[in-house]
Amino acid sequence: MVVHEVRVHPSSASLPRQAQLTWKMAELAAAAPPPSPEVAEMVACRVVDNAGVALAAINRQPVTTARIMALAHTRADGATLFGLPPAVRVHAEWAAWANATAVRELDFHDCSPPSAHPGDNIAPLIAVAQQMRCDGAALVRAIAVAYEIQVALGRGMPLAPSQKEQTGHLCPATTAGLGALLGLPVATIYHALNQAVLISHAPRQTRKGEMTSWKAFVPGHSGKLAIDAIDRAMRGESSPSPAYEGESGVIAYMLDGPSARYQVSLPAPGAPLGAILQTFTKAHAAVNHAQAFIDLAFELRVGVDLSRLREVVVRTNSTVHNIVGSGANDPEKSNPDASRETLDHSLSYIVAIALEDGWFHHERSYAHDRTHRPDTIALWRKVRSVVDPLWEDRHKQARPGRPVLGGRLELHLDDGRVIAGEKAVADAQIGGARTMDRAGYERKFRALAGPLLAAEDMAAFLDLAHRLPSASPEALCRLNPVLPAGEVRSERPGAKGIYDHPIDEGNGGVRAANAG
C-alpha cells in the first residue's frame, strides 16, 4: 500500500495534478489488474446479497417510486430493472437510480467501517455495464476497484467528525469503478473524479431526527451523479481541481478544515485489490452498529421473564452510543410513530424487539402494530446505552477492517440479578462466531427471494453470479432477477410527478395535467 498525505495547499502552490488524490485514485482505477479468485468470489457474493435485499423490498413505496421514475426514461439498448423482464430497458443512470434504491431500502446489505455501504456501488456499475455491453470480467474488476476506493477513503478521511453523508466517498468510488469498467485513461477518470468529489458531499441530517425514505434514494442519486461525471469527462470536458486539496476545496470547507491532514492508503497502480475482503454483510435488517447487540439479545433472552426487567443497559463505545444510542439525544428514536428509517437506527428499539421476539425480520419487526404494542413500548423505554471506557478503548485500538462496534448487554432484573453477555463484533462479521461465507450469502438470498422466485430461477441466478468473471455481455442482462408477471407494482394510484406528464411535441413543451 502507498500512503498519501492529503491536505490543503495554497493556490499559489499550483499543486500538480499528479500529486492530487483524485489522480492517484484514477491511476489505481486505470491500472487495476483482474481480481484474484478470492476477490472475484466475494464480488459474486455481494451481487447475490444485493439481489436478495432488493427483491425483498421490490414493492415498498420508495422502491416503487424510483422504478416508476426510471420507467419514464426507456431506452431499447439500456439497462434492466430488478423484477422486470430483460426486454424492459431504461437509460443506465435511471436503472442505477431505481436499482440502488431497491438495494438500500431495507438497510440489509454490506458494510465497511466506520460507516459505509460499499455494495451501493454495484447497481450503477451493472447498469452501465449492461448499456455499454461490457463483459463479466470487466464488471468484476470495476466492482473491486469501487470497493478499494471507498474503503480507503472511509479509513483515511472519515466523514463522521464533520457530519457528512457517505455519498462523499460513495460517489467517487462509483466513478472510479466506472472508469475501470470502461477502460478509460487516467486523465479522463481524474476529471470525472474531481467533479464527483465536489458535487457529492452532503450533511448527515439524512440520518438524524426524522429520517425518511430519502435514505434509500441516496445511493441511486450518487450513482446518477457518478454516471454523469464519467459521461461528461468522456466527452473531453475537464473539472475544477484540486478537489480535495484546494483552498476552497472539500477538506477546507466540507471536512475538518484548512489545517486538517489525512493519510489515505491505496494500492500502487497495478497492485492486487483486496479491500472487499475487509468488508462484511448484515445478518439482520438494522443499522450495523446494532448487529452485535441483536445477537446478544437472542442469546440472553432464553429463560428470562421480560416482565421482571428493571432496565437494559448497553455498554459500548461513543460511536454506537452517539449515533444510534442514548447519546444521540434524538427523541424520534423512542417514538412508536417514527419512520422505519428512524427505527432501524434506534438501538433501544432494536434491542427491545430482539429480546421479545428472538428473531429479527426486515418487515414484521417494523410493522405498525409491532411498534405500538404496549409491552414493547414499556420494554423499549427501559433500554439505554452508556459509554464504557473498556469498550471505548477496544473500539479505538481496533485494527483497520476489524471494527469493534459491540460491547456488553446487561439485563437488570427486579430481584437484583444481572444477566449479561459480551460481543466485540456481530456473529456474521469478520472475526465473528459465524462469519458469513458463500453458503451463508446463498441462505440469506434464498430466505429473502424464496417467496418470490421459483427454485429453478434462484438456481440459475446463483449460477450466473458465481461465474461472473466469464459471463458475456448478454448474460449480464440477466443479473437483475425477473419476478413472475404481476408481482412488481407498476404504479402508485394518485401519485404523479413531472415525469408522468406527456410531452406536447407540437408546442415543444409539457402539456399541463388539466389540459383538454
Side-chain angles (χ1 to χ4, degrees), residues 11-25:
S11 297
S12 59
S14 299
L15 186 67
R17 63 172 56 175
Q18 289 78 9
Q20 297 170 27
L21 181 59
T22 47
W23 185 270
K24 303 298 183 183
M25 291 156 59

Side-chain angles (χ1 to χ4, degrees), residues 111-114 151 155 275-280 398-404 425 429-431:
C111 302
S112 172
V151 169
R155 290 181 183 171
I276 192 173
L277 301 176
Q278 300 159 18
T279 66
F280 43 83
R399 289 183 296 143
R402 295 292 188 274
V404 175
V425 298
Q429 295 178 1
I430 299 170

Side-chain angles (χ1 to χ4, degrees), residues 287-460:
V287 66
N288 183 42
H289 303 72
Q291 298 287 308
F293 298 107
I294 296 174
D295 291 331
L296 274 172
F298 291 169
E299 295 174 7
L300 298 181
R301 67 183 296 274
V302 179
V304 175
D305 181 354
L306 297 182
S307 68
R308 301 192 63 183
L309 279 176
R310 180 170 54 83
E311 69 171 343
V312 178
V313 180
V314 177
R315 298 189 179 277
T316 186
N317 58 72
S318 58
T319 297
V320 173
H321 175 68
N322 292 328
I323 291 178
V324 299
S326 304
N329 296 316
D330 189 349
E332 284 296 305
K333 293 188 187 302
S334 299
N335 181 1
D337 293 316
S339 65
R340 183 197 191 280
E341 292 83 3
T342 300
L343 295 177
D344 71 22
H345 276 58
S346 169
L347 182 62
S348 55
Y349 177 76
I350 291 165
V351 169
I353 293 294
L355 284 172
E356 284 195 327
D357 295 347
W359 48 266
F360 211 89
H361 190 267
H362 59 278
E363 289 186 332
R364 294 197 293 274
S365 293
Y366 298 102
H368 181 273
D369 59 351
R370 191 69 195 80
T371 65
H372 286 77
R373 273 175 41 180
D375 54 346
T376 298
I377 295 172
L379 176 56
W380 183 358
R381 302 286 162 78
K382 295 177 182 178
V383 181
R384 64 184 177 91
S385 67
V386 297
V387 177
D388 186 305
L390 170 66
W391 289 100
E392 180 75 352
D393 288 345
R394 293 187 68 178
H395 175 62
K396 290 180 177 179
Q397 294 170 13
R399 289 183 296 143
R402 295 292 188 274
V404 175
L405 289 177
R408 178 180 173 88
L409 182 63
E410 297 177 348
L411 310 185
H412 294 253
L413 303 180
D414 57 9
D415 61 3
R417 287 182 297 147
V418 178
I419 299 171
E422 298 180 349
K423 284 185 186 290
V425 298
D427 291 346
Q429 295 178 1
I430 299 170
R434 294 181 296 277
T435 301
M436 191 84 75
D437 56 8
R438 171 175 171 170
Y441 281 96
E442 293 191 0
R443 282 194 301 272
K444 181 180 174 184
F445 173 76
R446 292 181 188 279
L448 292 169
L452 303 166
L453 284 177
E456 60 268 25
D457 293 330
M458 285 193 289

Side-chain angles (χ1 to χ4, degrees), residues 230-298:
I230 283 286
D231 184 272
R232 180 174 172 274
M234 289 172 68
R235 299 177 191 278
E237 301 296 335
S238 59
S239 294
S241 66
Y244 288 109
E245 302 94 343
E247 281 184 338
S248 297
V250 167
I251 293 175
Y253 284 97
M254 299 297 288
L255 299 182
D256 290 341
S259 62
R261 291 174 181 262
Y262 301 97
Q263 305 289 324
V264 178
S265 298
L266 294 170
L273 307 177
I276 192 173
L277 301 176
Q278 300 159 18
T279 66
F280 43 83
T281 195
K282 296 178 180 179
H284 315 294
V287 66
N288 183 42
H289 303 72
Q291 298 287 308
F293 298 107
I294 296 174
D295 291 331
L296 274 172
F298 291 169

